[in-house]
Each structure stands twice: as structure tokens, then as C-alpha cells.
Amino acid sequence: GIEHAVMHLLYARFFTKALRDLGLHGDDEPFKNLLTQGMVCKETVKCPEHGFLLPEEAEGGKCVHCGKPVETGAVEKMSKSKKNIVDPDRIIERYGADTTRLFSLFAAPPEKDLDWSEEGVEGCYRFLGRVWRLVEENRDKLSATPYAGAADGDLDREPLLKEIHRQTHKTIKKVTDDIGVRFHFNTALSSIMELVNALYQLLIQKADAWSGLDKKVFRESVEAVVILLSPFAPHMSEELWKRLGKNTPLYKTPWPGYDEGALVQHEVSLVVQINGKVRAKVSVPPDSSEEAVKEIVANDPGVMQWMQGKDLKKFVYVKNKLVSLVAA
């Protein structure tokens, strides 16, 4: 717990200052920063005859020793005395070390308590499966070299590719900041998951019509996913890196940089609701004024169709997100 960690840090500070006073070094403090991790918590399970039980000692809501119904208690910090603990070897044997690592980092910010959840572990296992299939099932599309800038083609004529390219570099920037500055590993993983979802959408929308530029942008994004995932799931990432044809081990590969120019968003998509139902989508420049958006929405064919014969009673604009029209 936090009190235990703080006491150990006090010992280290004491010895540092004592050695300083003896003239053996000139440092006043041994640490620049303190990040105290939250506790891992889980509900307790108790048998009226045998007391607290380990999770594997309660099957189907009954005690494996006497068959009596068990009582599920409150979620508390894991402790051997209350037996609300999970054997990591059992989780690793079933799901692998990478899934165990991933869930531990994804379930909560490091300074907050983590509620252990078998469903959460299963969800992380499924996500790693999606990343694996992203590489394994698209070998033909990953045969190209990664996108290397304007020399490979003009993304301005390919809005879908341009958005994937932008999201890739946005994800690199966020994961880099979340790991190296904020220590928020859970939000770093969330952004990687969003990029993976976007790549699966690209596969659906492109179907079998893949150009050389499509493959280059896809390859760049998939490589970014594998590298960014490697601190969290190093074993699978290293294997996928080899399957991408890389000869240099992933752990020796430099961390990717991001292109500031690619982060610039020239258009945002606004959802248009009419009387509470989504009826259209319009593209506008980022941070557009309400007057400009109102004009674009009024001239959109989809909106005009639904507004035919109706009067606009109310116009609500949430910047860069949505437009809500009330009509009668």
C-alpha cells in the first residue's frame, strides 16, 4: 500500500542524507518524483463454515469443501488474509503474460486503485487477438514499404487515407506523451485501440480495391501499432515484428517520431440530428463559427430532404462534434 511504499522511500532518503553529511556525495535527495501506485482490489468470497475462500475454492456459488452457499463480500484490496487474490501463474497459463500485463496497465491509471475483473482480462485477450489477425490476415497488403511522405503519392486526393495517416501520427504523439510524461498507460492503450479500430474500418471500406498508396499507408499504421504496443505486450509484438519482415529485433528499434504536419486536421465531420435522430453528416473546417456551420448544414442535400415542409425552431451547435436541429 501507499503507506508501505512511503516508509521504504523514507529509509532511502535517510541513508542518502546521512551519506551526504559524511561527505561521501553531494546529493540532497535520491528521487526527483514520487508516483505511488494504487492497490489491486477484488471482492471477497466467504463460506459460513470455512471462512474466506480463494476464488478457485468457490465454484458455482458454493464452497468446494462443504458444498454450502458462499457469500460474496465487498471489493477490498487484495490480501492473503482475506484470500481475495489471483494467482498470476493461472492467468498467464490461460491468457499469456502479455494479456496479464495489458490488463494491469489498462484497467486504471497507475495512481488509482485497480478492480480486478475476469471480464476485463478476457477483453484484453480479445484485443490482442485482433492485433494478431490484423497482421496475419493481411500479409498481401503489408508487402509494401511504409508510407514515406509526399513522394509516395498525394494524400490530399485520398481523404480516407489522409485521416488514417493523421490518426497514426496523432496516436504516436499521444502514446509517447502518456508513457513518457503523464505515466497514464491506460489512455495510451485506449488510443492504440482506437487506431486498430480505424484500420479495421479501412479494411471494410476498401474491400479488395487496394492501390499501392493504400498499402503503404496501411503498412505505416500497422508498424506503428506493433511498436507502440511493444512496451505493454512485448512478446507478441516481437513476434509480429518478425512477421512484418523485420530483421532488427523490435527492442533494438528506435521509438517512432511523429510528423507535426500530419497532425493538422483540415476538416471535421459533424453529426446532424433532426428532432433527436441522426439524419446526416457534414464536413466543416475545425472550430468553424456557428454562422458558417448553419449555412453549410442548410445547403446539405440530406438535411434539406428531412427539413422539407418544416420550420426550424432551434439550432444547437456543439463545436467540432454535432449539430442538433429542432423542427416542426
Side-chain angles (χ1 to χ4, degrees), residues 61-220:
K62 294 183 179 181
C63 175
V64 297
H65 305 293
C66 64
K68 293 182 179 178
V70 298
E71 178 185 343
T72 301
V75 174
E76 302 183 41
K77 69 177 182 180
M78 285 188 179
S79 65
K80 286 183 284 186
S81 61
K82 294 186 177 179
K83 296 188 176 181
N84 59 336
I85 57 177
V86 174
D87 182 359
D89 289 339
R90 182 174 61 88
I91 302 297
I92 291 170
E93 183 179 347
R94 181 175 178 182
Y95 295 105
D98 283 347
T99 297
T100 310
R101 289 167 58 98
L102 199 71
F103 173 74
S104 299
L105 296 170
F106 177 66
E111 71 275 10
K112 302 293 184 182
D113 288 348
L114 183 161
D115 289 342
W116 186 266
S117 162
E118 291 286 346
E119 293 78 12
V121 176
E122 183 69 37
C124 288
Y125 181 72
R126 288 196 302 270
F127 168 69
L128 289 179
R130 294 191 78 209
V131 176
W132 181 269
R133 292 191 298 275
L134 191 66
V135 175
E136 279 297 286
E137 295 178 1
N138 296 284
R139 292 287 192 93
D140 57 329
K141 301 177 183 66
L142 292 168
S143 59
T145 56
Y147 180 71
D152 286 331
D154 189 0
L155 287 181
D156 289 334
R157 294 194 295 268
E158 297 281 354
L160 180 58
L161 290 183
K162 189 171 184 177
E163 177 56 26
I164 291 292
H165 181 65
R166 188 191 70 82
Q167 188 168 349
T168 297
H169 286 265
K170 178 184 175 183
T171 304
I172 293 172
K173 183 179 188 302
K174 179 161 179 57
V175 173
T176 301
D177 291 343
D178 283 351
I179 292 178
V181 180
R182 300 174 64 236
F183 296 104
H184 278 201
F185 311 115
N186 59 321
T187 54
L189 280 166
S190 292
S191 63
I192 297 172
M193 291 175 178
E194 289 174 7
L195 178 57
V196 170
N197 289 338
L199 291 174
Y200 269 99
Q201 287 299 314
L202 176 67
L203 289 169
I204 293 171
Q205 294 183 50
K206 285 289 181 178
D208 295 325
W210 283 73
S211 68
L213 182 58
D214 294 335
K215 292 179 180 180
K216 288 175 181 290
V217 172
F218 183 66
R219 169 86 184 204
E220 176 198 37

Side-chain angles (χ1 to χ4, degrees), residues 197-256:
N197 289 338
L199 291 174
Y200 269 99
Q201 287 299 314
L202 176 67
L203 289 169
I204 293 171
Q205 294 183 50
K206 285 289 181 178
D208 295 325
W210 283 73
S211 68
L213 182 58
D214 294 335
K215 292 179 180 180
K216 288 175 181 290
V217 172
F218 183 66
R219 169 86 184 204
E220 176 198 37
S221 300
V222 171
E223 282 194 9
V225 166
V226 174
I227 295 176
L228 297 177
L229 193 60
S230 62
F232 309 97
H235 308 91
M236 191 187 83
S237 299
E238 193 71 61
E239 179 63 29
L240 289 177
W241 195 243
K242 291 179 182 177
R243 289 169 184 258
L244 286 169
K246 300 291 186 177
N247 295 320
T248 302
L250 183 52
Y251 72 90
K252 289 186 177 180
T253 302
W255 189 255

